[in-house]
């Protein structure tokens, strides 16, 4: 048994989202982890068996994306055909974000060459 208690909002909370966004712009690993976390969260919500409580149509995707410090919305079936006026993607081409890890970046560049 777990009694419910009201939680009061915390004051003096630091806004870490700008720092997280700059980290994602500086390292592709951070960018990809944020995207994967967002996708996993949305998919878990969509596939949860208690869909009376966890209703995907009630999710505020724009706020959720900002909370995950996303630079752009991922392409996924759950978001297809939806508009997000409250979410502003970065103007930077996210394909140009490189890995800080030189070996991972070499592998990524090699894959990009193969795709061409």
């Amino acid at each position: 048994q777990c009694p419910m208690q009201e939680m009061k909002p915390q004051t003096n909370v630091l806004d870490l989202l700008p720092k997280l966004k700059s980290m994602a712009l500086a390292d592709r690993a951070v960018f990809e982890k944020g995207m994967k976390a967002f996708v996993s969260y949305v998919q878990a919500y969509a596939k949860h068996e208690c869909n009376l409580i966890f209703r995907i149509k009630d999710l505020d995707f724009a706020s959720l994306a900002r909370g995950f410090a996303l630079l752009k919305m991922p392409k996924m079936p759950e978001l297809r055909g939806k508009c997000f006026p409250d979410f502003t993607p970065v103007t930077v081409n996210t394909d140009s974000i490189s890995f800080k890890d030189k070996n991972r970046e070499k592998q990524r560049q090699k894959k990009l060459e193969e795709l061409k």
Side-chain angles (χ1 to χ4, degrees), residues 10-30:
Q10 292 184 348
T11 57
N12 301 329
V13 178
L14 292 175
D15 185 9
L16 296 176
L17 295 179
K19 183 166 176 98
L20 286 172
K21 276 190 171 185
S22 65
M23 288 171 63
L25 283 165
D27 186 1
R28 185 164 201 85
V30 176

PDB file of all heavy atoms in Angstrom, residues 10-30:
ATOM      1  N   GLN A  10       8.990  22.686  -6.625  1.00  0.00           N
ATOM      2  CA  GLN A  10      10.251  23.178  -6.088  1.00  0.00           C
ATOM      3  C   GLN A  10      10.523  24.569  -6.635  1.00  0.00           C
ATOM      4  O   GLN A  10      10.196  24.886  -7.765  1.00  0.00           O
ATOM      5  CB  GLN A  10      11.385  22.239  -6.465  1.00  0.00           C
ATOM      6  CG  GLN A  10      11.286  20.897  -5.794  1.00  0.00           C
ATOM      7  CD  GLN A  10      12.485  20.022  -6.120  1.00  0.00           C
ATOM      8  OE1 GLN A  10      13.267  20.328  -7.006  1.00  0.00           O
ATOM      9  NE2 GLN A  10      12.616  18.939  -5.389  1.00  0.00           N
ATOM     10  N   THR A  11      11.134  25.384  -5.805  1.00  0.00           N
ATOM     11  CA  THR A  11      11.521  26.731  -6.228  1.00  0.00           C
ATOM     12  C   THR A  11      13.028  26.756  -6.468  1.00  0.00           C
ATOM     13  O   THR A  11      13.754  25.858  -6.051  1.00  0.00           O
ATOM     14  CB  THR A  11      11.141  27.777  -5.161  1.00  0.00           C
ATOM     15  OG1 THR A  11      11.763  27.410  -3.928  1.00  0.00           O
ATOM     16  CG2 THR A  11       9.634  27.845  -4.973  1.00  0.00           C
ATOM     17  N   ASN A  12      13.494  27.784  -7.145  1.00  0.00           N
ATOM     18  CA  ASN A  12      14.929  27.958  -7.436  1.00  0.00           C
ATOM     19  C   ASN A  12      15.528  26.765  -8.181  1.00  0.00           C
ATOM     20  O   ASN A  12      16.615  26.302  -7.854  1.00  0.00           O
ATOM     21  CB  ASN A  12      15.732  28.212  -6.146  1.00  0.00           C
ATOM     22  CG  ASN A  12      15.255  29.448  -5.421  1.00  0.00           C
ATOM     23  OD1 ASN A  12      14.795  30.394  -6.054  1.00  0.00           O
ATOM     24  ND2 ASN A  12      15.354  29.446  -4.108  1.00  0.00           N
ATOM     25  N   VAL A  13      14.794  26.256  -9.154  1.00  0.00           N
ATOM     26  CA  VAL A  13      15.285  25.140  -9.957  1.00  0.00           C
ATOM     27  C   VAL A  13      16.072  25.699 -11.140  1.00  0.00           C
ATOM     28  O   VAL A  13      15.608  26.598 -11.837  1.00  0.00           O
ATOM     29  CB  VAL A  13      14.101  24.274 -10.459  1.00  0.00           C
ATOM     30  CG1 VAL A  13      14.596  23.142 -11.330  1.00  0.00           C
ATOM     31  CG2 VAL A  13      13.309  23.737  -9.280  1.00  0.00           C
ATOM     32  N   LEU A  14      17.260  25.190 -11.337  1.00  0.00           N
ATOM     33  CA  LEU A  14      18.096  25.643 -12.450  1.00  0.00           C
ATOM     34  C   LEU A  14      17.534  25.120 -13.763  1.00  0.00           C
ATOM     35  O   LEU A  14      17.101  23.982 -13.849  1.00  0.00           O
ATOM     36  CB  LEU A  14      19.523  25.131 -12.290  1.00  0.00           C
ATOM     37  CG  LEU A  14      20.342  25.701 -11.142  1.00  0.00           C
ATOM     38  CD1 LEU A  14      21.687  25.001 -11.054  1.00  0.00           C
ATOM     39  CD2 LEU A  14      20.553  27.196 -11.333  1.00  0.00           C
ATOM     40  N   ASP A  15      17.561  25.934 -14.795  1.00  0.00           N
ATOM     41  CA  ASP A  15      17.136  25.513 -16.121  1.00  0.00           C
ATOM     42  C   ASP A  15      18.339  24.895 -16.821  1.00  0.00           C
ATOM     43  O   ASP A  15      19.218  25.599 -17.323  1.00  0.00           O
ATOM     44  CB  ASP A  15      16.589  26.700 -16.916  1.00  0.00           C
ATOM     45  CG  ASP A  15      16.027  26.278 -18.255  1.00  0.00           C
ATOM     46  OD1 ASP A  15      15.911  25.053 -18.491  1.00  0.00           O
ATOM     47  OD2 ASP A  15      15.699  27.154 -19.070  1.00  0.00           O
ATOM     48  N   LEU A  16      18.377  23.568 -16.839  1.00  0.00           N
ATOM     49  CA  LEU A  16      19.506  22.860 -17.431  1.00  0.00           C
ATOM     50  C   LEU A  16      19.309  22.582 -18.921  1.00  0.00           C
ATOM     51  O   LEU A  16      20.230  22.126 -19.589  1.00  0.00           O
ATOM     52  CB  LEU A  16      19.726  21.527 -16.705  1.00  0.00           C
ATOM     53  CG  LEU A  16      20.117  21.632 -15.236  1.00  0.00           C
ATOM     54  CD1 LEU A  16      20.197  20.253 -14.610  1.00  0.00           C
ATOM     55  CD2 LEU A  16      21.435  22.362 -15.080  1.00  0.00           C
ATOM     56  N   LEU A  17      18.115  22.851 -19.443  1.00  0.00           N
ATOM     57  CA  LEU A  17      17.831  22.509 -20.828  1.00  0.00           C
ATOM     58  C   LEU A  17      18.747  23.208 -21.836  1.00  0.00           C
ATOM     59  O   LEU A  17      19.221  22.562 -22.767  1.00  0.00           O
ATOM     60  CB  LEU A  17      16.361  22.746 -21.150  1.00  0.00           C
ATOM     61  CG  LEU A  17      15.395  21.829 -20.385  1.00  0.00           C
ATOM     62  CD1 LEU A  17      13.963  22.151 -20.743  1.00  0.00           C
ATOM     63  CD2 LEU A  17      15.702  20.376 -20.637  1.00  0.00           C
ATOM     64  N   PRO A  18      19.046  24.517 -21.678  1.00  0.00           N
ATOM     65  CA  PRO A  18      19.984  25.130 -22.626  1.00  0.00           C
ATOM     66  C   PRO A  18      21.356  24.449 -22.627  1.00  0.00           C
ATOM     67  O   PRO A  18      21.965  24.258 -23.679  1.00  0.00           O
ATOM     68  CB  PRO A  18      20.086  26.583 -22.159  1.00  0.00           C
ATOM     69  CG  PRO A  18      18.816  26.828 -21.420  1.00  0.00           C
ATOM     70  CD  PRO A  18      18.474  25.521 -20.775  1.00  0.00           C
ATOM     71  N   LYS A  19      21.827  24.063 -21.446  1.00  0.00           N
ATOM     72  CA  LYS A  19      23.125  23.374 -21.361  1.00  0.00           C
ATOM     73  C   LYS A  19      23.047  22.002 -22.033  1.00  0.00           C
ATOM     74  O   LYS A  19      23.958  21.607 -22.756  1.00  0.00           O
ATOM     75  CB  LYS A  19      23.559  23.231 -19.906  1.00  0.00           C
ATOM     76  CG  LYS A  19      24.920  22.592 -19.764  1.00  0.00           C
ATOM     77  CD  LYS A  19      25.481  22.769 -18.390  1.00  0.00           C
ATOM     78  CE  LYS A  19      26.785  22.042 -18.258  1.00  0.00           C
ATOM     79  NZ  LYS A  19      27.944  22.835 -18.414  1.00  0.00           N
ATOM     80  N   LEU A  20      21.942  21.282 -21.818  1.00  0.00           N
ATOM     81  CA  LEU A  20      21.770  19.982 -22.462  1.00  0.00           C
ATOM     82  C   LEU A  20      21.708  20.118 -23.980  1.00  0.00           C
ATOM     83  O   LEU A  20      22.281  19.304 -24.710  1.00  0.00           O
ATOM     84  CB  LEU A  20      20.504  19.289 -21.955  1.00  0.00           C
ATOM     85  CG  LEU A  20      20.570  18.703 -20.554  1.00  0.00           C
ATOM     86  CD1 LEU A  20      19.198  18.235 -20.105  1.00  0.00           C
ATOM     87  CD2 LEU A  20      21.558  17.553 -20.512  1.00  0.00           C
ATOM     88  N   LYS A  21      21.019  21.156 -24.462  1.00  0.00           N
ATOM     89  CA  LYS A  21      20.954  21.385 -25.909  1.00  0.00           C
ATOM     90  C   LYS A  21      22.331  21.670 -26.482  1.00  0.00           C
ATOM     91  O   LYS A  21      22.685  21.171 -27.544  1.00  0.00           O
ATOM     92  CB  LYS A  21      20.000  22.532 -26.233  1.00  0.00           C
ATOM     93  CG  LYS A  21      18.565  22.104 -26.319  1.00  0.00           C
ATOM     94  CD  LYS A  21      17.721  23.221 -26.871  1.00  0.00           C
ATOM     95  CE  LYS A  21      16.332  22.712 -27.162  1.00  0.00           C
ATOM     96  NZ  LYS A  21      15.489  23.706 -27.795  1.00  0.00           N
ATOM     97  N   SER A  22      23.115  22.477 -25.777  1.00  0.00           N
ATOM     98  CA  SER A  22      24.465  22.783 -26.281  1.00  0.00           C
ATOM     99  C   SER A  22      25.346  21.535 -26.248  1.00  0.00           C
ATOM    100  O   SER A  22      26.185  21.346 -27.132  1.00  0.00           O
ATOM    101  CB  SER A  22      25.103  23.935 -25.504  1.00  0.00           C
ATOM    102  OG  SER A  22      25.316  23.587 -24.176  1.00  0.00           O
ATOM    103  N   MET A  23      25.124  20.662 -25.265  1.00  0.00           N
ATOM    104  CA  MET A  23      25.866  19.401 -25.218  1.00  0.00           C
ATOM    105  C   MET A  23      25.475  18.516 -26.405  1.00  0.00           C
ATOM    106  O   MET A  23      26.328  17.860 -27.006  1.00  0.00           O
ATOM    107  CB  MET A  23      25.607  18.673 -23.901  1.00  0.00           C
ATOM    108  CG  MET A  23      26.264  19.310 -22.701  1.00  0.00           C
ATOM    109  SD  MET A  23      25.734  18.589 -21.123  1.00  0.00           S
ATOM    110  CE  MET A  23      26.316  16.920 -21.277  1.00  0.00           C
ATOM    111  N   ALA A  24      24.179  18.499 -26.741  1.00  0.00           N
ATOM    112  CA  ALA A  24      23.701  17.699 -27.871  1.00  0.00           C
ATOM    113  C   ALA A  24      24.249  18.240 -29.191  1.00  0.00           C
ATOM    114  O   ALA A  24      24.544  17.472 -30.111  1.00  0.00           O
ATOM    115  CB  ALA A  24      22.179  17.672 -27.893  1.00  0.00           C
ATOM    116  N   LEU A  25      24.393  19.556 -29.282  1.00  0.00           N
ATOM    117  CA  LEU A  25      24.962  20.158 -30.493  1.00  0.00           C
ATOM    118  C   LEU A  25      26.455  19.877 -30.622  1.00  0.00           C
ATOM    119  O   LEU A  25      26.991  19.854 -31.722  1.00  0.00           O
ATOM    120  CB  LEU A  25      24.727  21.672 -30.498  1.00  0.00           C
ATOM    121  CG  LEU A  25      23.329  22.127 -30.869  1.00  0.00           C
ATOM    122  CD1 LEU A  25      23.116  23.584 -30.488  1.00  0.00           C
ATOM    123  CD2 LEU A  25      23.070  21.913 -32.351  1.00  0.00           C
ATOM    124  N   ALA A  26      27.120  19.642 -29.490  1.00  0.00           N
ATOM    125  CA  ALA A  26      28.562  19.429 -29.495  1.00  0.00           C
ATOM    126  C   ALA A  26      28.958  17.957 -29.624  1.00  0.00           C
ATOM    127  O   ALA A  26      30.084  17.653 -30.006  1.00  0.00           O
ATOM    128  CB  ALA A  26      29.172  20.001 -28.216  1.00  0.00           C
ATOM    129  N   ASP A  27      28.030  17.041 -29.312  1.00  0.00           N
ATOM    130  CA  ASP A  27      28.369  15.611 -29.340  1.00  0.00           C
ATOM    131  C   ASP A  27      27.166  14.806 -29.823  1.00  0.00           C
ATOM    132  O   ASP A  27      26.105  14.820 -29.208  1.00  0.00           O
ATOM    133  CB  ASP A  27      28.789  15.153 -27.944  1.00  0.00           C
ATOM    134  CG  ASP A  27      29.296  13.718 -27.906  1.00  0.00           C
ATOM    135  OD1 ASP A  27      29.357  13.056 -28.962  1.00  0.00           O
ATOM    136  OD2 ASP A  27      29.638  13.251 -26.802  1.00  0.00           O
ATOM    137  N   ARG A  28      27.346  14.110 -30.926  1.00  0.00           N
ATOM    138  CA  ARG A  28      26.268  13.323 -31.522  1.00  0.00           C
ATOM    139  C   ARG A  28      25.753  12.250 -30.565  1.00  0.00           C
ATOM    140  O   ARG A  28      24.583  11.891 -30.604  1.00  0.00           O
ATOM    141  CB  ARG A  28      26.748  12.692 -32.835  1.00  0.00           C
ATOM    142  CG  ARG A  28      25.648  11.960 -33.550  1.00  0.00           C
ATOM    143  CD  ARG A  28      25.998  11.674 -35.003  1.00  0.00           C
ATOM    144  NE  ARG A  28      24.785  11.449 -35.737  1.00  0.00           N
ATOM    145  CZ  ARG A  28      24.026  12.391 -36.268  1.00  0.00           C
ATOM    146  NH1 ARG A  28      24.382  13.648 -36.169  1.00  0.00           N
ATOM    147  NH2 ARG A  28      22.921  12.100 -36.908  1.00  0.00           N
ATOM    148  N   ALA A  29      26.608  11.722 -29.698  1.00  0.00           N
ATOM    149  CA  ALA A  29      26.187  10.692 -28.742  1.00  0.00           C
ATOM    150  C   ALA A  29      25.092  11.239 -27.825  1.00  0.00           C
ATOM    151  O   ALA A  29      24.096  10.562 -27.559  1.00  0.00           O
ATOM    152  CB  ALA A  29      27.378  10.195 -27.927  1.00  0.00           C
ATOM    153  N   VAL A  30      25.244  12.461 -27.352  1.00  0.00           N
ATOM    154  CA  VAL A  30      24.245  13.091 -26.486  1.00  0.00           C
ATOM    155  C   VAL A  30      22.958  13.337 -27.275  1.00  0.00           C
ATOM    156  O   VAL A  30      21.855  13.066 -26.794  1.00  0.00           O
ATOM    157  CB  VAL A  30      24.778  14.409 -25.879  1.00  0.00           C
ATOM    158  CG1 VAL A  30      23.715  15.112 -25.060  1.00  0.00           C
ATOM    159  CG2 VAL A  30      26.019  14.149 -25.038  1.00  0.00           C
TER     160      VAL A  30
END
